[in-house]
Amino acid sequence: HAFGETTIESDPQRVVTVGWTDHEVMAALGEVPVGAVRISWGGNDEGSTDFFDAAIGELGATPAEVTRLDDSDGIPVEEIAALEPDVILGTNSGLTQEDYDALSRIAPVVAYPEAAWGTPWRESVEMIGQALGRPAEAQESIAETEALIEETAAAHPELEGTSVAWA
């Protein structure tokens, strides 16, 4: 990743995410983080998303079991340390070298590969799948998502030739 290489020596049981979508990828892969950043733009009243809440519900968890971390003034290092994570995921984050160094003193950190906030979704899913020891589930999730995209495109031929930008 952008700050070097991270080795995860055992199956992580307590994962904190600092990327804005990393927690949702975890849920799609069948895992519930102990902590995730608060979704302050586009989230629900609990600082989460309806997708995430439903996904962890299917896994037998509730939104109250995931500590929401306020990163509006930067990475809350002390709050993350208090959660005692085995791994910290930031594949879709804006971690700085200083953030990475501070978090690495707590647990192994998986940062974005090149540019802050710029990890393509497929690569983020693959990285998180590898970090969680679920590479097969990651590939399955990617294939299911691509199939859904193709199915939706086929059902809406009026979309052919259009493009979108989200910024």
Side-chain angles (χ1 to χ4, degrees):
H1 52 74
F3 303 110
E5 189 172 296
T6 298
T7 301
I8 300 169
E9 300 196 11
S10 62
D11 182 26
Q13 301 300 306
R14 297 182 58 79
V15 179
V16 170
T17 65
V18 295
W20 280 5
T21 58
D22 294 352
H23 62 288
E24 292 191 348
V25 172
M26 277 190 69
L29 298 180
E31 298 284 339
V32 180
V34 296
V37 293
R38 180 170 191 67
I39 306 301
S40 57
W41 186 81
N44 58 30
D45 290 341
E46 288 75 40
S48 187
T49 64
D50 295 342
F51 168 82
F52 178 76
D53 294 349
I56 65 168
E58 291 175 14
L59 298 171
T62 66
E65 294 175 62
V66 179
T67 299
R68 285 294 172 170
L69 304 161
D70 184 353
D71 67 346
S72 59
D73 288 328
I75 299 295
V77 175
E78 290 179 19
E79 288 179 59
I80 292 170
L83 294 172
E84 300 178 343
D86 300 320
V87 170
I88 300 166
L89 299 175
T91 70
N92 186 12
S93 72
L95 290 175
T96 65
Q97 182 71 57
E98 182 179 327
D99 295 331
Y100 178 79
D101 293 343
L103 293 174
S104 292
R105 288 190 281 278
I106 300 167
V109 179
V110 179
Y112 48 85
E114 293 178 23
W117 308 114
T119 307
W121 72 268
R122 288 173 188 85
E123 192 168 359
S124 184
V125 172
E126 289 171 348
M127 292 175 74
I128 292 170
Q130 183 178 359
L132 298 177
R134 294 179 166 260
E137 290 89 339
Q139 291 307 314
E140 183 179 314
S141 181
I142 290 169
E144 288 174 1
T145 302
E146 288 173 340
L148 180 60
I149 291 168
E150 288 176 21
E151 180 182 309
T152 302
H156 296 279
E158 69 274 16
L159 296 176
E160 187 171 343
T162 62
S163 61
V164 64
W166 182 73

